[in-house]
Amino acid sequence: MNELTFPIIFMLAIVVAEGLVIAKTQKGTVSWQELVFNLNSGHIMLWLFRGLEIFCYGFVVTHYSFNLVENWPTILVWVFTILAWDFGFYWLHRLHHTYRILWAVHVVHHQGEHYNLSLGVRNSWYSSLTSIPFFMLLALMGIPLEVFLTVSILHYTIQFFNHSALIPRLGWLEKFMVTPQHHRVHHVKEGHYSNRNFAGSFIFWDKLFGTFAKLPETEHHFGIKGTPASENPFIDSNLPFWRMIKRASKPAQKPTPLFRVNQVALVMGTLLLFSLVIGYVYLYGYGYQGTTLQQVVLFVLLALGTVALSGISDGRKSGLMSWFFIACLLLICVVFIWKWTTAFWVIFTSALWLHSLLMLVGFGRKPIVVANVA
């Protein structure tokens, strides 16, 4: 599964690099707390559900395909899939903004208030699940799984870079491609701009179906109106559904943080956790068949790690305790029970444990003193 790790490493490196450039040049805005959440928001849970999406596609194309493209020239199959995938994404994305249950999945992406590459990977845990019905149409037609995967990666790469704060206008490409300039419109908080520019790669879908808009020349901001996100992926991915069930008009008030975490310490924790996720991907990829207890335990611990790290970002003591406990379990399982003694696993699980210990005893954070009001 070595080939699957390279895009993740590249994504992680370029997200952090752009954040550093933005902080130094001020060509845009960056919040390291939000960047950490964006990276943690769905990378491990999305891997699980992305695997389910690929499993479903492979199952349908193998057993229920009508083989409509079997006699098509290869070039025509590729061109058709590139266009059909993006057409399906346009309507999938548009329906996410139309129906409440789909918006409950998609809202996590729009809660980000700083436009940069990290926003491109900010998603609900369940984002991949909602795309399954749309892309199954390609499976029924007989589009091979390899073609579907390659085209998907192409489109997701374009969408990722369309969240960049540093890419300028792209000249003639602006006429038919979705560019960062076009996609910024979709994340504008004011007015109805979030209901414009739904396309993923080709902007002509929006022009064809009447949903195209240009970036407003007046002052504007990114995000959504109302209560800000909690910055905890477990809460933010599930709270919209809880509100639907309880029909709550007002969310619970966010607890007062007990400490302020150092941004360098927070980013270091994220990089350590993400490195272990890359190790998981290297070992297991999208695999489900032959799943072992080791894989399940490692997956659960990494998923819980994202929640604990977000708790630290929120200034919660429970986040510190959970982070230390999870780091201890990872170290014990990897080194002492499973005996994975390769340099990668020993170094990164040990470093994660040391980071959690230092955070627990007070390094990398400062207490917030609340003054008593007479």
Side-chain angles (χ1 to χ4, degrees):
M1 294 302 172
N2 199 11
E3 70 281 359
L4 293 175
T5 63
F6 295 140
I8 303 175
I9 295 172
F10 174 75
M11 179 273 294
L12 178 62
I14 200 168
V15 164
V16 175
E18 189 199 48
L20 292 172
V21 172
I22 292 173
K24 185 175 180 61
T25 63
Q26 296 185 343
K27 293 181 178 180
T29 58
V30 61
S31 163
W32 289 105
Q33 278 84 358
E34 186 173 288
L35 184 144
V36 166
F37 174 88
N38 293 349
L39 288 174
N40 280 331
S41 62
H43 65 258
I44 189 66
M45 295 301 292
L46 275 174
W47 199 259
L48 172 67
F49 293 126
R50 175 66 167 161
L52 180 61
E53 176 188 351
I54 293 173
F55 172 80
C56 291
Y57 190 98
F59 184 81
V60 171
V61 78
T62 301
H63 296 94
Y64 297 102
S65 169
F66 294 107
N67 295 318
L68 300 180
V69 302
E70 185 176 17
N71 297 319
W72 289 15
T74 302
I75 185 64
L76 182 59
V77 172
W78 280 96
V79 171
F80 173 81
T81 307
I82 289 172
L83 293 174
W85 193 102
D86 203 50
F87 178 75
F89 178 85
Y90 170 86
W91 285 105
L92 168 66
H93 193 183
R94 186 168 176 175
L95 291 177
H96 272 89
H97 286 253
T98 304
Y99 295 101
R100 188 178 179 186
I101 190 169
L102 292 178
W103 176 246
V105 174
H106 189 55
V107 65
V108 176
H109 180 63
H110 278 267
Q111 288 172 331
E113 296 181 347
H114 298 83
Y115 199 88
N116 52 63
L117 283 175
S118 71
L119 183 59
V121 295
R122 179 190 181 110
N123 285 293
S124 164
W125 284 357
Y126 314 114
S127 293
S128 286
L129 290 179
T130 58
S131 66
I132 292 176
F134 285 81
F135 296 132
M136 284 308 104
L137 295 176
L138 295 177
L140 289 172
M141 290 188 64
I143 301 297
L145 177 61
E146 296 77 12
V147 176
F148 170 76
L149 285 176
T150 303
V151 169
S152 297
I153 292 171
L154 170 65
H155 282 296
Y156 285 137
T157 301
I158 293 172
Q159 291 177 30
F160 170 67
F161 281 104
N162 279 338
H163 291 86
S164 174
L166 302 179
I167 296 177
R169 291 178 180 270
L170 297 178
W172 58 272
L173 288 175
E174 304 270 347
K175 296 181 179 180
F176 67 95
M177 294 292 296
V178 177
T179 65
Q181 182 72 8
H182 290 320
H183 194 64
R184 286 187 186 98
V185 175
H186 185 68
H187 283 270
V188 170
K189 180 188 300 185
E190 293 81 10
H192 297 282
Y193 287 98
S194 64
N195 289 322
R196 297 291 184 268
N197 295 11
F198 295 110
S201 297
F202 299 119
I203 197 63
F204 51 66
W205 301 125
D206 286 291
K207 294 180 178 180
L208 179 63
F209 296 111
T211 53
F212 175 74
K214 295 182 179 180
L215 195 68
E217 298 180 358
T218 56
E219 182 181 358
H220 54 272
H221 306 86
F222 301 111
I224 61 172
K225 297 178 181 178
T227 305
S230 72
E231 302 303 337
N232 186 308
F234 173 78
I235 294 175
D236 289 336
S237 290
N238 292 286
L239 185 59
F241 298 101
W242 178 250
R243 289 176 180 167
M244 290 176 61
I245 295 171
K246 300 294 290 186
R247 298 185 180 275
S249 58
K250 293 183 179 180
Q253 187 175 3
K254 185 177 180 179
T256 303
L258 299 178
F259 58 86
R260 183 176 293 107
V261 64
N262 180 276
Q263 292 185 349
V264 175
L266 190 63
V267 172
M268 285 301 300
T270 300
L271 294 178
L272 289 171
L273 182 65
F274 216 106
S275 297
L276 293 178
V277 171
I278 293 172
Y280 172 90
V281 172
Y282 181 87
L283 289 176
Y284 302 113
Y286 290 122
Y288 286 120
Q289 295 181 349
T291 299
T292 64
L293 179 61
Q294 289 178 351
Q295 180 180 353
V296 174
V297 171
L298 182 59
F299 184 94
V300 170
L301 288 176
L302 293 175
L304 292 176
T306 67
V307 178
L309 194 60
S310 296
I312 294 175
S313 179
D314 278 343
R316 300 187 185 187
K317 188 176 181 179
S318 60
L320 289 171
M321 298 299 296
S322 300
W323 185 239
F324 179 71
F325 181 68
I326 290 166
C328 289
L329 287 178
L330 277 168
L331 183 62
I332 292 171
C333 288
V334 168
V335 177
F336 299 105
I337 298 178
W338 302 335
K339 299 186 184 303
W340 294 354
T341 55
T342 57
F344 172 86
W345 289 104
V346 172
I347 291 173
F348 280 99
T349 53
S350 300
L352 188 71
W353 177 84
L354 180 59
H355 180 277
S356 69
L357 178 63
L358 292 175
M359 292 291 294
L360 187 64
V361 299
F363 286 94
R365 59 185 177 92
K366 293 182 179 179
I368 296 177
V369 179
V370 180
N372 293 326
V373 179

